Amino acid sequence: MSKANDTGVMTLRDLGFDELTERTYRALLQKPEHDLTTLETQVGAAEDDLRNALAHLVDLGVARTHRAAPSGVVAGDPTASLRQLIERKEDELLRKYRKVAGLRTELGALSALDGRGLAGLRGGPGVERIDGMRDVRERLHELSSLTRASMYCVLQGRPRPEIGRALDLRLRRGIELRLIHERSVLDDEQNRTYLHRLMTAGALIRVSDRRLDPLMVMDEQVAVVPIDPENHGQGALVVRQVGLLTGFLRLFDRLWDEARELPPDLQDIPQEPELTDDDRRLLELLASGNTDEVAARHFGVSVRHLRRRIARLAARLEASSRFEAGVAAVRRGWL
């Protein structure tokens, strides 16, 4: 029996059938010779409810009254009648879509009336400032609900559930979704499962060794960035100014090109060992210009032992020199 679901698969319920009407329709197709009394028993309904269900089938156009039929109703060819019903549903959805599309044309005029769009308001022309995380979340929801073609995101830290739900919705609407995460997000099994689910749904995801600052670009027409990357609680800037927006798009493209693609099975990715306090302190000493001898005395080890530790760190950072190791450590947020 077909049941209502939210998997995206269309069922008879979406075409106007209710539970009893569907049971009656299936029984009528399987046993057209059954009279009303037999049908009552088969579908488990009282006579009045059964008659209403049969009348509903006639209204839907999948059955017609027939004096010679034992039940007074005969089902039509399901291939033809259901196709007509689907076409009517498609026409109805198309009319609704056209209304929604017509409403979108009013958004520009309504935005012009919105005080937040006035030139010079707090953030300057083409820039809207939003203070406080609650207002930022509400504004992001409004903007993402209007997104029609693409959403490019640079995400910092571990995925947040509310963002995940919003991204799932965008994917179901067929929007191109590209995400860049920090490499550290793969160290957690729950995060890997979440990213695998998004990839399966169609998202394009890459990871970066950089320490990332958040960025969202929607339809290549509006960008959202934090006011202060070090303090997200201050709020965000919504940017529509063409020059700034072009810069953000180029930044995203550069980060995307530098980031690494993920394999289809994220469970195959080895977890990167955590950086120890001693490793971080060693990197800080070297970044401050201390010699190997000074660093070795700090840890109470031999210079030879210290250099082996430096070599292991450089290998983890895929660096061929101390300078490259320092740059890579900064990108990963180790320093």
Side-chain angles (χ1 to χ4, degrees), residues 31-53:
K31 299 292 183 179
E33 70 276 10
H34 283 177
D35 58 18
L36 283 175
T37 302
T38 308
L39 279 177
E40 288 175 25
T41 302
Q42 186 173 355
V43 303
E47 181 179 349
D48 289 343
D49 292 334
L50 178 60
R51 289 185 182 277
N52 289 334

Side-chain angles (χ1 to χ4, degrees), residues 12-205:
L12 291 179
R13 304 296 175 81
D14 298 303
L15 298 177
F17 288 73
D18 56 33
E19 184 177 354
L20 176 58
T21 303
E22 182 177 343
R23 290 206 308 271
T24 304
Y25 181 56
R26 293 180 183 277
L28 206 60
L29 286 172
Q30 293 170 352
K31 299 292 183 179
E33 70 276 10
H34 283 177
D35 58 18
L36 283 175
T37 302
T38 308
L39 279 177
E40 288 175 25
T41 302
Q42 186 173 355
V43 303
E47 181 179 349
D48 289 343
D49 292 334
L50 178 60
R51 289 185 182 277
N52 289 334
L54 291 170
H56 191 189
L57 291 174
V58 173
D59 291 339
L60 288 172
V62 297
R64 66 182 187 278
T65 57
H66 196 292
R67 291 183 179 179
S71 63
V73 173
V74 61
D77 178 355
T79 301
S81 56
L82 287 177
R83 179 181 290 119
Q84 292 176 359
L85 197 56
I86 291 171
E87 289 175 353
R88 289 203 299 268
K89 189 68 174 180
E90 289 174 338
D91 290 341
E92 177 187 343
L93 293 173
L94 182 59
R95 287 194 297 271
K96 289 182 179 180
Y97 175 80
R98 286 172 176 166
K99 288 183 179 180
V100 173
L103 179 60
R104 288 183 184 275
T105 63
E106 300 294 324
L107 294 179
L110 294 174
S111 295
L113 297 175
D114 185 359
R116 293 173 295 185
L118 296 176
L121 177 63
R122 305 180 70 182
V127 179
E128 170 194 346
R129 174 172 175 150
I130 307 172
D131 295 309
M133 288 308 299
R134 179 177 178 179
D135 289 341
V136 169
R137 284 192 291 269
E138 290 179 357
R139 192 73 175 111
L140 279 173
H141 178 73
E142 293 172 1
L143 292 170
S144 63
S145 67
L146 299 174
T147 303
R148 303 182 65 184
S150 64
M151 181 178 289
Y152 308 147
C153 305
V154 179
L155 300 171
Q156 186 184 71
R158 63 182 302 154
R160 295 195 296 276
E162 66 273 15
I163 292 181
R165 287 191 292 271
L167 296 180
D168 284 340
L169 177 60
R170 304 287 85 74
L171 286 169
R172 287 198 295 271
R173 287 170 50 189
I175 289 173
E176 178 193 359
L177 182 61
R178 289 198 283 165
L179 309 177
I180 304 175
H181 275 279
E182 294 179 342
R183 169 63 176 77
S184 59
V185 77
L186 299 177
D187 295 339
D188 182 86
E189 183 177 356
Q190 185 175 358
N191 292 343
R192 294 198 301 273
T193 300
Y194 159 80
L195 294 179
H196 184 267
R197 178 167 55 81
L198 286 182
M199 290 173 63
T200 302
L204 303 175
I205 303 176

